[in-house]
Structure formats: structure tokens, C-alpha cells
Amino acid sequence: MKFDSLIIGGGLAGLICGIRLQQSGQRCAMVSNGQSALDFSSGSLDLLNQLPNGENVQYAAQGLVQLAQQQPQHPYSLLGAETVLAKAAQFERLAAALKLNLVRGGQHNHLRLTPLGALRPTWLSPASVPTFDWVDKILSPQKVAVLGIEGFNDFQPQLLCDNMQQLPHFQQWQIHFDYLHIPELDHLRNDAREFRSINISQALEHKLNFQQLVAELKKAAQGATMVFLPACFGLDNDDFLKQLQQACGIKLFELPTLPPSLLGIRQHRLLQQAFEQSGGIMMKGDSVLRAEMHENRVTALYTRLNEEVALSADHYVLASGSFFSNGLVAEFDQIVEPIFGLDLFSQQQRSQWTHRRFAAAQPYQQFGAKINAHCQAMKQQTVIDNLYAIGAVVGGYDAIHQGCGSGVAVVTALAAADRILQEKSV
């Protein structure tokens, strides 16, 4: 089977790259082995929150200049600040066209409220999530209710309230918590494994007495002008939450729960749908076993479901993720990229893979494939002409402590896609 481009991995980076290529007339196939890290995400996308020296980043342009000085091997530093900002803006336009319902953005971070009651900087957030301007130190008075669901342990409203009240931003707020009693969920409470955000959302959409829920919500709100809820109201989008808000006459916001997260699942579904509707082929539940190469080019891939049939393309994109999805594999004495055996950023000594303090930045978080300024992957210090590495499989940065995982995914995805399109037009 022959394609213009073959993408390995169906997460954020792979899907964005595939959508961009498909919309530009390419014929793409995507090998996806199943669940993506998107399904476990908060729904907010980070561009760059913190520099290697620990300094917080408020303005992206300024942060990228400092980042290049402190960490020249970071993917952003390799691509250059101008390219990073251009691709970030390009993604914002794409997200709007795909109706991902993301707000804020631009070149400065805002603050989002986490389910533990902290304020965390980020770049883009779902419109249904409570967000605040960076400069607001003390917020104007509000009466707020944080409402959980009886028996649902993946969202703790009391903990959220207690932590919010410790922050100076909320010192003028009246905050209380309560729990919603929803009889339609009683059948789920018998098994904690079934009492998850996805199951709750499905039950609410199909077995719900809507007016009874409205009455219960208004009662628990106790006259609050804003209500914070766990993200359990709407599996595919936030339309159900909007209907509740209109019926209640109260501003309703949702917060991510412990994984799986509906906010991330919604984005994953929308992106998959966009890729397939644009003509892309999804090979779901499959994984790449091996690759064939000639000189400095990939010539074919063989997958678990196509062991005897070669999949070939003009260009290949590795978006296989990090350790979570086996895009990187930790053997006893080394870290490997299992498909192509790419050159990696990694420590040779196993004792150097981790830091003794659990909360410290862990060295293994920066392990990953080496790329050049065009996102082309490298093997034995040589660029592979038609192989691009994007997203979490790329090394040289700490997605967690630097708050840049989503940004690296979309920026490298679009940079690789545009490079492929440029080569195609030559």
C-alpha cells in the first residue's frame, strides 16, 4: 500500500500533522495502537510555562529567547523563536476552524484553575474551564459553589475549596462545596471501576431526568453566581453543560477529573474525526513492528496487522510518543527508540536516569529522538531524509517541568507538515 505520508502515532502531534497534510491534498495513513495521552489530559495546552532555571514564563516571545540561551537543544531552540510563534498562531487558527472551542491563546500565558485548587499557567484552555488573567492578584468578589457527585471519588470538592481559600486571588470569594444526588447514577455506585467520568456522562445523556438535575443543581448552588463541576456533563462536547447553564441561570464551569478526562477525550475525538473526514486513513489498533531503510531513507513499514504487506510512502512521520505509549522503551541498561533505532538524548548510566527526589525534574523526561531544524530524525549522526520526529518522542526538553509538551507537539507537527509540503511542491 502506497501513500504520500505515513504517520506513526495517533495522538495530538500525529493528528495535527495528518490534518494539515490532508487539508493540503496529501494522501495520509496513520498507524495508531489505541488510546492516546490526550485521553488523560486536562484539555488545556501549554506552550512554555517555565525556563530551565526555574523562572516562570508570562510572555512567549521573551521566554523563547531566554530558552535558546539556556537550552540550545530544546526543539523550540532548534526551530527558532520566529518559527515557534508562527506555528503556534497557525495552530490557533486551525483549532478555531476545527471548533476545538479553545480560548485565550496569543503570546502570553493565562492561569487556569486545577482540580486541586491551584492556579497553573497555560496557553490555551477549553472555554468551559475557569481561567484568569495572569496580572489579577486579587479577584473581585464572587459567590461560588464547588459541586461534586455523590460517590464519585475522582473529583474532591472539599479539597478544591480548601486549597482555593489558601490563595490570595480568592480571598474575597465566598466558596462552599456540596454534592449532587443524581438517582440515575445509583447503578454505577455498586462498582467503583464503573463510576468514572465517561460512564457518568453516558448515563446522564441517556437516562436523565433533566429538570430534576436542574432543580438539584440550583438547590446545591445555594444562590452562587458561579458553579464549578467535574467534567462529566457531555462526552462529545460541552453542549449539555450549556443547556444546564441556560436552564439554571448560573454560570457553570467544568474541571478535569482524574483520568480518563472528558476534556481531553473530546479533543481526541474531534481531531480524529477531522482527520478521517478530510480523507485520512486510520489504522486503529495496529502498531509498527519494523522498518526497512535504504541509505538515508525509509522505504517501507510492516505492522502487526500487516506483517507481510509493506506500507510505503514518500514521507514518514514518527509521532509515537514517549514511554507512556512505548515510543521510547527502557531496557535494563539503555533507552531505545524501537522502530528505527534513532539517535537519542539519554544518559548512558542507569543511575543517572532519575533524581533521588521524587518532585524534582527527572532526567529521563528529556530523553528522546534527536532532530534537526526541520524536525528530520537522525540515526548514527546522519539525517534520515524522509523521516520526521514530532511530539513527545523528541528529546531535549522536559514537558512536565517546563510546561511545553502540548506546544512542542503542535509546533513540531506543523513544522514537519509544512516541510513535507514544501518538498512535495519542489
Side-chain angles (χ1 to χ4, degrees), residues 210-211 214 217-218 229 238-253:
F210 186 78
Q211 292 305 321
V214 170
L217 201 154
K218 292 173 73 172
L229 297 163
D238 61 359
D239 288 349
F240 185 63
L241 188 74
K242 292 177 181 176
Q243 294 171 13
L244 271 179
Q245 177 171 281
Q246 185 175 7
C248 294
I250 307 171
K251 290 183 180 179
L252 302 182
F253 296 91

Short mmCIF file of all heavy atoms in Angstrom, two decimals, residues 210-211 214 217-218 229 238-253:
data_model
loop_
_atom_site.label_atom_id
_atom_site.label_comp_id
_atom_site.label_asym_id
_atom_site.label_seq_id
_atom_site.Cartn_x
_atom_site.Cartn_y
_atom_site.Cartn_z
N PHE A 210 -33.93 15.62 33.19
CA PHE A 210 -33.19 16.88 33.09
C PHE A 210 -33.67 17.90 34.11
O PHE A 210 -32.85 18.55 34.78
CB PHE A 210 -33.34 17.44 31.67
CG PHE A 210 -32.52 18.67 31.40
CD1 PHE A 210 -31.16 18.58 31.15
CD2 PHE A 210 -33.11 19.93 31.41
CE1 PHE A 210 -30.41 19.71 30.91
CE2 PHE A 210 -32.36 21.07 31.17
CZ PHE A 210 -31.00 20.95 30.91
N GLN A 211 -34.97 18.06 34.25
CA GLN A 211 -35.50 19.08 35.17
C GLN A 211 -35.15 18.75 36.62
O GLN A 211 -34.91 19.64 37.43
CB GLN A 211 -37.01 19.20 34.99
CG GLN A 211 -37.43 19.78 33.65
CD GLN A 211 -36.78 21.13 33.37
OE1 GLN A 211 -36.63 21.96 34.27
NE2 GLN A 211 -36.37 21.33 32.12
N VAL A 214 -31.62 19.92 37.10
CA VAL A 214 -31.59 21.38 37.22
C VAL A 214 -31.98 21.80 38.63
O VAL A 214 -31.31 22.65 39.26
CB VAL A 214 -32.52 22.03 36.17
CG1 VAL A 214 -32.67 23.53 36.45
CG2 VAL A 214 -31.97 21.80 34.77
N LEU A 217 -29.23 20.94 41.10
CA LEU A 217 -28.07 21.81 40.95
C LEU A 217 -28.34 23.18 41.57
O LEU A 217 -27.49 23.73 42.28
CB LEU A 217 -27.73 21.94 39.46
CG LEU A 217 -26.31 22.36 39.09
CD1 LEU A 217 -25.95 21.85 37.71
CD2 LEU A 217 -26.15 23.87 39.13
N LYS A 218 -29.52 23.74 41.33
CA LYS A 218 -29.86 25.05 41.89
C LYS A 218 -29.93 25.00 43.42
O LYS A 218 -29.51 25.93 44.12
CB LYS A 218 -31.18 25.54 41.30
CG LYS A 218 -31.08 25.86 39.80
CD LYS A 218 -32.43 26.16 39.20
CE LYS A 218 -32.96 27.52 39.62
NZ LYS A 218 -34.19 27.87 38.87
N LEU A 229 -17.98 22.32 38.40
CA LEU A 229 -18.42 20.93 38.36
C LEU A 229 -17.30 20.04 37.81
O LEU A 229 -16.43 20.51 37.07
CB LEU A 229 -19.64 20.78 37.45
CG LEU A 229 -20.92 21.51 37.85
CD1 LEU A 229 -21.86 21.60 36.66
CD2 LEU A 229 -21.59 20.79 39.00
N ASP A 238 -19.34 20.30 25.00
CA ASP A 238 -19.91 20.90 26.20
C ASP A 238 -21.33 21.42 25.98
O ASP A 238 -21.81 22.28 26.72
CB ASP A 238 -19.01 22.01 26.73
CG ASP A 238 -18.83 23.15 25.73
OD1 ASP A 238 -19.39 23.07 24.61
OD2 ASP A 238 -18.13 24.14 26.05
N ASP A 239 -22.02 20.90 24.95
CA ASP A 239 -23.39 21.35 24.67
C ASP A 239 -24.32 21.06 25.84
O ASP A 239 -25.20 21.88 26.18
CB ASP A 239 -23.93 20.68 23.40
CG ASP A 239 -23.28 21.22 22.14
OD1 ASP A 239 -22.56 22.25 22.24
OD2 ASP A 239 -23.47 20.62 21.07
N PHE A 240 -24.18 19.89 26.45
CA PHE A 240 -25.04 19.53 27.58
C PHE A 240 -24.82 20.48 28.76
O PHE A 240 -25.76 20.90 29.43
CB PHE A 240 -24.77 18.09 28.00
CG PHE A 240 -25.68 17.57 29.08
CD1 PHE A 240 -27.03 17.48 28.86
CD2 PHE A 240 -25.18 17.21 30.32
CE1 PHE A 240 -27.89 17.01 29.85
CE2 PHE A 240 -26.02 16.74 31.32
CZ PHE A 240 -27.39 16.63 31.08
N LEU A 241 -23.56 20.86 28.98
CA LEU A 241 -23.25 21.82 30.05
C LEU A 241 -23.89 23.17 29.76
O LEU A 241 -24.43 23.82 30.67
CB LEU A 241 -21.73 21.97 30.18
CG LEU A 241 -21.24 22.78 31.37
CD1 LEU A 241 -21.39 21.98 32.66
CD2 LEU A 241 -19.78 23.20 31.18
N LYS A 242 -23.88 23.58 28.51
CA LYS A 242 -24.51 24.85 28.12
C LYS A 242 -26.03 24.80 28.33
O LYS A 242 -26.63 25.79 28.76
CB LYS A 242 -24.18 25.17 26.67
CG LYS A 242 -22.72 25.51 26.43
CD LYS A 242 -22.45 25.74 24.95
CE LYS A 242 -20.98 26.06 24.69
NZ LYS A 242 -20.69 26.20 23.24
N GLN A 243 -26.64 23.67 28.03
CA GLN A 243 -28.07 23.52 28.26
C GLN A 243 -28.40 23.63 29.74
O GLN A 243 -29.39 24.27 30.14
CB GLN A 243 -28.55 22.17 27.71
CG GLN A 243 -28.47 22.04 26.20
CD GLN A 243 -28.76 20.62 25.73
OE1 GLN A 243 -29.25 19.79 26.48
NE2 GLN A 243 -28.41 20.34 24.48
N LEU A 244 -27.56 23.00 30.57
CA LEU A 244 -27.75 23.10 32.02
C LEU A 244 -27.61 24.55 32.49
O LEU A 244 -28.40 25.02 33.31
CB LEU A 244 -26.72 22.23 32.74
CG LEU A 244 -27.05 20.77 33.02
CD1 LEU A 244 -25.87 20.10 33.71
CD2 LEU A 244 -28.30 20.66 33.87
N GLN A 245 -26.61 25.22 31.96
CA GLN A 245 -26.37 26.61 32.36
C GLN A 245 -27.56 27.49 32.01
O GLN A 245 -27.98 28.33 32.82
CB GLN A 245 -25.11 27.12 31.66
CG GLN A 245 -24.80 28.58 31.94
CD GLN A 245 -23.44 29.00 31.42
OE1 GLN A 245 -22.43 28.73 32.03
NE2 GLN A 245 -23.43 29.66 30.26
N GLN A 246 -28.10 27.31 30.83
CA GLN A 246 -29.24 28.11 30.41
C GLN A 246 -30.47 27.83 31.27
O GLN A 246 -31.20 28.74 31.66
CB GLN A 246 -29.56 27.83 28.94
CG GLN A 246 -30.67 28.70 28.36
CD GLN A 246 -30.87 28.48 26.88
OE1 GLN A 246 -30.27 27.58 26.29
NE2 GLN A 246 -31.71 29.28 26.26
N ALA A 247 -30.67 26.55 31.61
CA ALA A 247 -31.83 26.19 32.42
C ALA A 247 -31.69 26.66 33.87
O ALA A 247 -32.68 27.02 34.51
CB ALA A 247 -32.04 24.68 32.38
N CYS A 248 -30.44 26.67 34.37
CA CYS A 248 -30.21 27.05 35.77
C CYS A 248 -30.09 28.55 35.96
O CYS A 248 -30.34 29.08 37.05
CB CYS A 248 -28.93 26.39 36.30
SG CYS A 248 -29.00 24.61 36.43
N GLY A 249 -29.65 29.26 34.92
CA GLY A 249 -29.39 30.68 35.07
C GLY A 249 -28.16 30.97 35.90
O GLY A 249 -28.04 32.03 36.52
N ILE A 250 -27.23 30.03 35.95
CA ILE A 250 -25.98 30.16 36.72
C ILE A 250 -24.81 29.86 35.78
O ILE A 250 -24.90 28.97 34.93
CB ILE A 250 -25.94 29.17 37.91
CG1 ILE A 250 -27.19 29.29 38.77
CG2 ILE A 250 -24.69 29.38 38.75
CD1 ILE A 250 -27.30 28.21 39.82
N LYS A 251 -23.71 30.60 35.93
CA LYS A 251 -22.52 30.31 35.15
C LYS A 251 -21.93 28.98 35.61
O LYS A 251 -21.58 28.83 36.78
CB LYS A 251 -21.48 31.42 35.31
CG LYS A 251 -21.86 32.73 34.64
CD LYS A 251 -20.74 33.75 34.80
CE LYS A 251 -21.09 35.08 34.15
NZ LYS A 251 -20.01 36.07 34.32
N LEU A 252 -21.82 28.04 34.70
CA LEU A 252 -21.29 26.72 35.02
C LEU A 252 -19.93 26.53 34.35
O LEU A 252 -19.76 26.84 33.18
CB LEU A 252 -22.24 25.62 34.54
CG LEU A 252 -23.68 25.66 35.08
CD1 LEU A 252 -24.46 24.46 34.55
CD2 LEU A 252 -23.69 25.66 36.60
N PHE A 253 -18.98 26.02 35.11
CA PHE A 253 -17.66 25.70 34.60
C PHE A 253 -17.34 24.26 34.97
O PHE A 253 -17.88 23.72 35.93
CB PHE A 253 -16.60 26.63 35.19
CG PHE A 253 -16.77 28.07 34.80
CD1 PHE A 253 -17.53 28.93 35.59
CD2 PHE A 253 -16.19 28.57 33.65
CE1 PHE A 253 -17.69 30.26 35.24
CE2 PHE A 253 -16.35 29.90 33.29
CZ PHE A 253 -17.10 30.75 34.09
#
